[in-house]
Amino acid sequence: MARQPTLAVVGATGAVGSVMRELLGSRRNVWGDIRLVASARSAGRTLPCRGEELPVHELTADVFDGVDVAMFDVPSDVAAEWAPVAASRGTVVVDNSDAFRMDPDVPLVVTEVNPQAIRHRPRGIVANANCTTIAMIMAVAPLHREYGLRELVLASYQSVSGAGQYGVDTLHDQLTKVAGDRSLGSRPGNVRQSVGDDLGPFPAPVALNVVPWSGDLCDLGWSSEEMKMRDETRKILALPDVKVSATCVRVPVVTGHSVAVHAVFAAELDADGARAVLKNAPGVILVDDPANGEFPMPIDAVGTDPSWVGRIRRSLDDPRALDFFVTGDNMRKGAALNTAQIAELIAAEFAAR
């Protein structure tokens, strides 16, 4: 019988780490020992994982001894420091941060789209894509295979959980402050006055508002989240010259990133043909019945694994263009699940030895 590889979960105490631990108990068991790893302040705690209480180990070089695969969910600077350390100990790292995504020696993988990319990993690291990119590309990739993608114009509607638990707490705190005052939002400045300085990780109030900004400032006024959608799409689809333009917007949704997509293809297409492609695409659920008020929405997609796709229509002005809306749980497929799926592909390599 093939040996089941040992897995480390680095960042096991965080929000995404908690989802990773949940997934390890609900998916097919391909792992032998599981080692939970976090910062020194969490070491010594026990956490539930796969039906038992496991101790949390401090993040040190020695913690990777005997570990075959490690799933990292830590800040980018921590990943940049520690992922190479783990790899030097013979551990294959699956990293959920943006530290290595654009490194040419690190494959950037969405398991339903380019699983073959994991085979070439000279640094011993595989990168998970950005959560918004994943939700979108799950629908774009099968359409690209059918029609040949040429251009994307994207507008994201990103939930506050993309900024971590701090973002979620900030939204709830702000909602408490504005609840009950029906005059708010009807006069300039009154929402800001009600919320006060409690903006959390956002540049403006998110309660009763949308904020057309997510990420850090890059060249020419673009945000880092917008650049990720462009650069990661090109790498995942192996289309280095495809045109991608994104506008990323933070919305008062707890969990679930959504994207309005305008996609231009090489071939003419129609909405029914696109629906047929998406209906049979892995990791996609079609929710497209406007007449009965059925749309893909984050309140329905939260807690589920697929990308939900709907509002599919051919462009009125270009027979090669398609418009649609996609949403997905940014904590599951957008982070923990895709990381776990990549790790499972690597685990299969051990089983085949």
Side-chain angles (χ1 to χ4, degrees), residues 129-318:
N130 175 264
C131 46
T132 318
T133 301
I134 290 176
M136 175 271 299
I137 213 162
M138 291 289 290
V140 168
L143 294 169
H144 163 59
R145 287 191 288 266
E146 186 73 18
Y147 303 110
L149 182 66
R150 292 294 180 267
E151 182 176 357
L152 286 172
V153 180
L154 310 169
S156 75
Y157 304 78
Q158 295 177 222
S159 66
V160 295
S161 60
Q165 188 61 43
Y166 189 23
V168 175
D169 292 341
T170 296
L171 174 60
H172 282 298
D173 290 344
Q174 291 182 2
L175 289 173
T176 299
K177 290 181 178 181
V178 302
D181 188 345
R182 298 193 178 191
S183 70
L184 293 179
S186 61
R187 296 191 304 274
N190 65 356
V191 171
R192 290 183 182 274
Q193 183 178 9
S194 178
V195 168
D197 296 329
D198 182 20
L199 300 180
F202 311 116
V206 287
L208 305 182
N209 194 30
V210 298
V211 183
W213 187 260
S214 182
D216 301 317
L217 180 63
C218 297
D219 292 341
L220 303 175
W222 295 93
S223 80
S224 58
E225 288 287 305
E226 292 158 352
M227 296 305 297
K228 288 174 187 177
M229 295 194 74
R230 173 181 182 265
D231 296 341
E232 293 178 22
T233 295
R234 289 177 160 191
K235 185 173 181 178
I236 294 165
L237 296 180
L239 294 174
D241 298 319
V242 69
K243 297 178 180 178
V244 182
S245 180
T247 299
C248 290
V249 182
R250 190 73 69 180
V251 297
V253 170
V254 172
T255 301
H257 288 354
S258 306
V259 186
V261 180
H262 177 81
V264 182
F265 298 93
E268 292 190 10
L269 74 169
D270 58 39
D272 286 340
R275 288 188 190 96
V277 170
L278 292 169
K279 185 176 181 180
N280 294 308
V284 171
I285 183 169
L286 192 64
V287 184
D288 193 22
D289 188 1
N292 291 303
E294 295 183 2
F295 317 104
M297 294 180 289
I299 59 169
D300 300 315
V302 64
T304 71
D305 294 337
S307 283
W308 295 42
V309 186
R311 290 301 323 279
I312 299 167
R313 60 240 189 251
R314 189 173 78 169
S315 172
L316 296 174
D317 302 312
D318 186 346

